[in-house]
């Protein structure tokens, strides 16, 4: 939806209310902002980011998604969380509805 401070208008046409809310909150000024869908009863493969130069803000938008990162499992259904995506992780949706996360990737402030 946004990359390097530029809102991608074609993508924002599809989710215009969400883009407006994110713009109003000041997201999208740096890094990358996008929507991630996780289909019912599915999970992502275990993965890592190539480096620790960024942080990811995960904002739950719908459904119940769990995040397994390192040796912890977090329920992402009601709270925002900031993670270092270079840690091994997977997203899990064991529910019968689609899970939706808004992800804001931003430069790591300490690097």
């Amino acid at each position: 939806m946004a990359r390097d401070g530029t809102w991608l208008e074609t993508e924002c046409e599809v989710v215009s209310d969400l883009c407006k809310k994110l713009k109003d909150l000041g997201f999208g000024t740096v890094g990358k902002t996008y929507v991630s869908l996780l289909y019912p009863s599915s999970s992502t493969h275990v993965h890592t980011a190539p480096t620790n130069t960024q942080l990811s803000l995960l904002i739950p938008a719908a459904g119940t998604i769990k995040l397994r990162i390192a040796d912890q499992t977090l329920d992402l259904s009601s709270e925002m969380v900031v993670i270092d995506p270079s840690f091994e992780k997977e997203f899990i949706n064991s529910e019968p509805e689609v899970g939706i996360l808004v992800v804001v990737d931003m430069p790591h402030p300490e690097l």
Side-chain angles (χ1 to χ4, degrees):
M1 295 181 334
R3 185 177 302 123
D4 298 324
T6 302
W7 284 94
L8 307 173
E9 295 306 321
T10 303
E11 287 81 351
C12 279
E13 287 176 12
V14 177
V15 287
S16 59
D17 289 343
L18 179 59
C19 281
K20 181 181 180 337
K21 287 177 185 174
L22 291 171
K23 287 178 188 178
D24 290 347
L25 291 171
F27 291 115
T29 56
V30 296
K32 180 171 59 171
T33 303
Y34 56 95
V35 174
S36 182
L37 303 176
L38 195 56
Y39 290 99
S41 302
S42 66
S43 63
T44 64
H45 62 282
V46 176
H47 60 286
T48 63
T51 68
N52 68 340
T53 59
Q54 71 179 26
L55 296 175
S56 295
L57 171 64
L58 307 175
I59 306 167
T64 302
I65 296 177
K66 290 188 173 28
L67 166 66
R68 187 195 60 76
I69 185 163
D71 62 350
Q72 296 182 10
T73 301
L74 306 171
D75 182 346
L76 300 179
S77 61
S78 62
E79 293 187 38
M80 293 187 288
V81 64
V82 175
I83 65 166
D84 177 340
S86 67
F87 285 93
E88 184 177 89
K89 65 193 164 301
E90 71 178 318
F91 295 92
I92 304 158
N93 181 8
S94 56
E95 300 298 319
E97 68 270 351
V98 172
I100 303 172
L101 285 176
V102 176
V103 182
V104 180
D105 290 334
M106 62 198 105
H108 195 300
E110 295 178 357
L111 297 179

